[in-house]
Amino acid sequence: MTFTEQANQIFQQAIRDYHLTDNVDTPMRNPYERESIEYNLYLKCWIDTVQWHYEDIIRDPHIDPTEALSLKRRIDHSNQDRTDLVENIDSYFRHIYSDVKPLPDARLNTESPAWAVDRLSILALKIWHMEEQVEREDADEEHRQRCRAKLNVLLEQQADLSTAIDQLLEDIEAGRKYMKVYRQMKMYNDPSTNPVLYNNK
C-alpha cells in the first residue's frame, strides 16, 4: 500500500466517524497509537472536518453576532492547530528520510510533503460533501448532474495529487529531491507580532 492509499483510507475513516454525529462538539476518538503517523493523519482530517462545519455554521445569515465572534475564535484556533500538525507531519518525513544523501543535481519541490497531504485531506472532504449533493433527494436533477460533474473532477484531482505525493516521496527517498521546511510564522495569532494584541496589553 502506498502512503497516499493509506492516507486516503484514514481520511475517509475520520470523515465517516465525524458524520456519525455531525456535531462540531463531538469528542474525537482517534483509533490509532498516539504519535504515530496514522494518528496524525486521522487527527489532521478530523480537524479539517470540524473546521469545514465551523465554516458552514458561520455563514448562517441569521447567526447571532456574539455566537459568530465566538465561532471565529474557534476557527482561528483550529487553523493554528492545523498548521502545527502539518509541521509535525513534515517532521515525520524529515526523520524517515534523514539518512538520505541528496544527489548533486537534486531539486527542491515547491511545497513540502505535508502541505501536499493537507490538500489531500481537504480534497477528501470536498468529495464526501459533493457526493452528498449528488445523492440529495430534495434537489432537482439539474443540481445533481452539476454536482456529479464536479465530483468527477474532484476524484480526478484526488488521483492526480495522490500520484504526485507518492512520486515526491519516492524522489526524496532516492535523493532526486530534497526537503526544506519553512515554519508558517503566522503573525496574527502571536501577541508579540499582531499590533492589535501587543498594543492592548
Side-chain angles (χ1 to χ4, degrees), residues 31 37 40 57 59 66 77 86 96 122 124 130 145 155 165 180 198 200:
I37 186 59
N40 282 337
I57 295 167
R59 284 166 173 77
T66 302
H77 184 75
V86 170
I96 64 172
I122 303 299
M130 196 61 73
Q145 289 290 352
L155 290 169
I165 292 170
K180 287 184 77 172
Y198 63 68
N200 284 284

Side-chain angles (χ1 to χ4, degrees), residues 26-183:
T26 299
M28 179 190 71
R29 292 181 173 84
N30 194 320
Y32 298 100
E33 183 180 347
R34 187 174 289 274
E35 305 303 326
S36 68
I37 186 59
E38 294 83 3
Y39 183 97
N40 282 337
L41 290 171
Y42 186 98
L43 175 57
K44 173 72 182 64
C45 197
W46 184 273
I47 290 172
D48 293 337
T49 305
V50 172
Q51 184 162 334
W52 178 287
H53 292 85
Y54 284 159
E55 298 285 3
D56 278 349
I57 295 167
I58 206 168
R59 284 166 173 77
D60 180 351
H62 306 295
I63 192 170
D64 177 78
T66 302
E67 183 184 345
L69 179 59
S70 173
L71 189 52
K72 177 64 170 70
R73 298 277 189 260
R74 294 178 79 172
I75 290 170
D76 286 347
H77 184 75
S78 177
N79 268 324
Q80 190 64 58
D81 287 345
R82 168 179 163 262
T83 299
D84 292 344
L85 185 54
V86 170
E87 292 175 354
N88 285 343
I89 293 171
D90 263 335
S91 295
Y92 161 81
F93 286 123
R94 290 187 70 177
H95 173 72
I96 64 172
Y97 297 127
S98 59
D99 293 334
V100 175
K101 183 175 175 58
L103 299 173
D105 59 349
R107 295 183 176 187
L108 183 64
N109 203 53
T110 57
E111 66 182 347
S112 67
W115 280 109
V117 170
D118 173 74
R119 293 195 287 127
L120 195 63
S121 173
I122 303 299
L123 264 176
L125 271 164
K126 289 181 179 180
I127 288 167
W128 176 280
H129 288 98
M130 196 61 73
E131 286 175 339
E132 284 185 331
Q133 294 302 309
V134 168
E135 296 167 3
R136 266 181 65 189
E137 294 184 357
D138 64 332
D140 60 31
E141 184 60 26
E142 183 181 356
H143 172 84
R144 290 194 293 269
Q145 289 290 352
R146 276 199 312 271
C147 291
R148 190 170 288 110
K150 292 178 181 179
L151 176 60
N152 290 336
V153 173
L154 290 170
L155 290 169
E156 183 178 359
Q157 284 182 298
Q158 184 186 49
D160 289 346
L161 181 57
S162 297
T163 298
I165 292 170
D166 288 333
Q167 288 175 347
L168 173 60
L169 296 178
E170 290 171 4
D171 284 343
I172 293 171
E173 186 174 13
R176 293 187 293 268
K177 288 190 175 179
Y178 62 95
M179 283 185 63
K180 287 184 77 172
V181 177
Y182 296 97
R183 303 299 174 187

Side-chain angles (χ1 to χ4, degrees), residues 1-18:
M1 181 181 295
T2 68
F3 175 82
T4 60
E5 286 172 344
Q6 179 187 38
N8 285 323
Q9 285 185 11
I10 292 172
F11 294 158
Q12 185 78 6
Q13 179 182 11
I15 297 167
R16 184 174 58 249
D17 289 350
Y18 171 86

